[in-house]
Amino acid sequence: MIEVVRTNSSNKDFIHLVKGLDAYLKTTDGDEHEFYNQFNGIAVLNHVIVAYTDGEAMGCGAFKKFGNSSVEIKRMYTKPSARGQGIATEILNSLETWASEQAYVSCILETGIRQKEAVRFYKKNNYKSIPNYGQYINMDNSLCFEKGLIK
């Protein structure tokens, strides 16, 4: 059974999981890793989900405010050994619910073109491609997505 916990970026399990995410992204982002990494700080994330199975932290995700009515999904990660068990979907659904409870109407996110599993995952979860936004506008490796939230 998957247990999700609402927390913030000071959560030790979240910090540990993000280290795994950063190691993975360093290999997939290649030379562009430093550019992307500057936008992935976790010091002030107040909306963090950590997912546990049998008491062990297996995945995480977060969101931060983006504009007046949207949030940006950040730091989504599931340990490789736990993939395919619905953990990422549970995390994403929990983030969307939390954002909706805060009166946000949509979620946006950026992922890399080389993160093929992530691209498939977001499309499967009804995220639609949008033009690259913000710092990702001129980044050929970036793919941006959006999903409206049901109230």
Side-chain angles (χ1 to χ4, degrees), residues 118-132:
V119 172
R120 281 192 300 272
F121 170 74
Y122 292 121
K123 287 181 178 179
K124 182 179 99 177
N125 282 279
N126 300 313
Y127 279 75
K128 306 297 181 206
S129 294
I130 60 171
N132 288 4

Side-chain angles (χ1 to χ4, degrees), residues 47 62-74 92 94-110 127 130 133 145-147 149:
H47 300 91
F63 71 77
K64 67 179 187 177
K65 183 178 179 179
F66 187 89
N68 292 328
S69 61
S70 296
V71 297
E72 183 179 24
I73 302 293
K74 304 291 288 179
L92 188 58
S94 296
L95 289 168
E96 291 169 358
T97 297
W98 198 0
S100 184
E101 290 169 2
Q102 301 287 312
Y104 292 106
V105 298
S106 66
C107 296
I108 63 167
L109 62 89
E110 181 275 342
Y127 279 75
I130 60 171
Y133 60 85
F145 293 91
E146 181 176 32
K147 179 180 180 180
L149 298 173

Side-chain angles (χ1 to χ4, degrees), residues 31-66:
D31 293 340
E32 296 169 329
H33 180 70
E34 289 308 314
F35 170 80
Y36 289 108
N37 199 44
Q38 69 182 315
F39 303 112
N40 290 326
I42 63 168
V44 290
L45 293 173
N46 295 317
H47 300 91
V48 170
I49 296 286
V50 177
Y52 296 86
T53 55
D54 299 323
E56 182 180 351
M58 302 305 273
C60 63
F63 71 77
K64 67 179 187 177
K65 183 178 179 179
F66 187 89

Side-chain angles (χ1 to χ4, degrees), residues 7-27:
T7 186
N8 60 40
S9 57
S10 66
N11 180 287
K12 289 180 170 67
D13 290 329
F14 176 69
I15 294 167
H16 179 73
L17 287 163
V18 166
K19 288 179 184 177
L21 170 61
D22 286 340
Y24 168 73
L25 291 175
K26 190 169 185 174
T27 63

